[in-house]
Amino acid sequence: MTAMPTAPQSEQPGRIMSREMSEQPEVLRRLLRTGAPEIQETARLVAAKKPRFVLLTARGTSDHAALYAKYLLEVRLGVPCGLTSMSTITAYGAKPDLRDVLAVTVSQSGGSPDLVASTRAAREAGAITLAVTNNPDSALAAVSEHHIDIQAGPEKALPATKTYTASLLALYLFVEGLRGGDGAAATALPGLAAQLLDRQPEITSLAARYRFADRMVITSRGYGYPTAKEAALKLMETSYIPALAYSGADLLHGPLAMVDNISPVIAVVTDGRGGQALQPVLDRLRGRGADLVVVGPKAQVEQASAGFVLPTDGVPEELQPILEIIPLQLLAHEVTIARGQDPDAPRALAKVTETR
């Protein structure tokens, strides 16, 4: 029997997303090598203005990067932060007093009109404005007082992968700069990211659990919570599986009732205080007989139905989200392929979403 020829490289589903995921070690390495000095200088300029509060603005994947920055700023610096509702300005015309407030807008393209409009309005209201984008020539960068280029290179797949991890690293380096640090703890990340990508066969095997899933729950706490939200988005936009992301604390306040012995649950367990805070939730999930998969330290994976062990030894908890998301990006890719769909071209989506 003659074997059927494989599809040409250009026609293989998920080829673009796969290539861009594989670029992440080099993107992280480039950002550490050439981007860090500029980020540190930007942080010095902002710190000199002594902002009393931080507002973070973003949508989609970038919103999860902004949530990560909120944890960094509040935990590492003790600075209160809030995630903005852009419609208060763009739809309702609110004019808040933003003097001495740092307004950080995170956007891969820097092109969405509402992001540009709200950032312009924030600057007019007295805010110190910072744009974090993958496009230094964008409209968002132009209206902001300061700009950080995440240097991820062109991203063509609709699901964002390398721009997400680059945004996390850029925000980490910025916050470290605000507190007078040099970000040296991040130097191991490119090598660790490469190790995770080399373990794709483990993810392919894990993906078989979710080929016929009707829904999924993803949970975490602390620094891992943005990872849970980003993983849920990746699964929804590529495989179309309804994936619900909850903080472990919120999961116990009602949604736990929908979890049963056939409900797939992925727990992102950071090695640190966030993972410790999640422990009671993991115990409750096991007690309900949930199909629990853990992404995290070996000891936690061994207590679950299945999982993926992360190399967390020696990696500070605040840096682990940059590693945690990589196997979950791979999982979204592999589940989508297993379901006969193309993760490069999710239906009804555009690379730049223009909201107003």
Side-chain angles (χ1 to χ4, degrees), residues 4-233:
M4 293 292 291
T6 57
Q9 183 75 359
S10 61
E11 298 176 10
Q12 291 177 357
R15 176 184 61 86
I16 302 173
M17 182 180 177
S18 179
R19 183 186 68 231
E20 290 176 352
M21 286 188 294
S22 72
E23 293 174 8
Q24 288 177 106
E26 180 52 35
V27 169
L28 298 175
R29 192 173 291 113
R30 178 168 61 243
L31 190 54
L32 287 168
R33 184 177 61 245
T34 65
E38 293 182 9
I39 294 173
Q40 193 166 35
E41 175 60 15
T42 299
R44 186 188 67 78
L45 293 172
V46 170
K49 298 175 182 179
K50 299 180 179 179
R52 58 183 171 85
F53 192 88
V54 179
L55 287 175
L56 296 149
T57 302
R59 291 206 186 276
T61 284
S62 294
D63 198 34
H64 307 149
L67 180 58
Y68 168 73
K70 185 176 188 294
Y71 275 93
L72 284 174
L73 287 158
E74 291 187 343
V75 175
R76 306 283 285 171
L77 291 182
V79 176
C81 301
L83 299 175
T84 66
S85 299
M86 280 175 279
S87 60
T88 61
I89 292 175
T90 59
Y92 291 94
K95 297 184 182 299
D97 180 358
L98 299 181
R99 287 172 294 179
D100 302 321
V101 171
L102 171 61
V104 181
T105 306
V106 187
S107 171
Q108 299 153 41
S109 68
S112 186
D114 58 350
L115 293 169
V116 175
S118 63
T119 301
R120 181 186 294 112
R123 190 170 183 179
E124 291 171 353
I128 309 155
T129 52
L130 168 66
V132 180
T133 81
N134 195 39
N135 183 3
D137 298 321
S138 64
L140 179 60
V143 299
S144 299
E145 183 180 356
H146 303 284
H147 177 257
I148 288 175
D149 181 2
I150 66 171
Q151 300 188 19
E155 188 173 59
K156 297 181 179 180
L158 286 174
T161 54
K162 63 180 182 175
T163 52
Y164 180 68
T165 49
S167 294
L168 297 191
L169 179 55
L171 288 163
Y172 169 81
L173 292 171
F174 173 68
V175 174
E176 284 301 289
L178 289 178
R179 62 195 298 267
D182 60 5
T187 55
L189 291 176
L192 293 172
Q195 291 177 27
L196 292 173
L197 290 163
D198 286 342
R199 294 166 59 192
Q200 182 161 350
E202 293 179 49
I203 296 296
T204 303
S205 176
L206 194 61
R209 303 174 73 91
Y210 305 117
R211 183 177 180 183
F212 301 107
D214 292 325
R215 69 166 187 252
M216 295 175 64
V217 172
I218 306 176
T219 188
S220 188
R221 288 202 69 178
Y223 283 110
Y225 182 41
T227 306
K229 291 176 71 69
E230 174 61 10
L233 176 60

Side-chain angles (χ1 to χ4, degrees), residues 268-279:
V268 181
V269 184
T270 56
D271 190 0
R273 294 186 182 183
Q276 294 165 12
L278 190 64
Q279 190 61 53

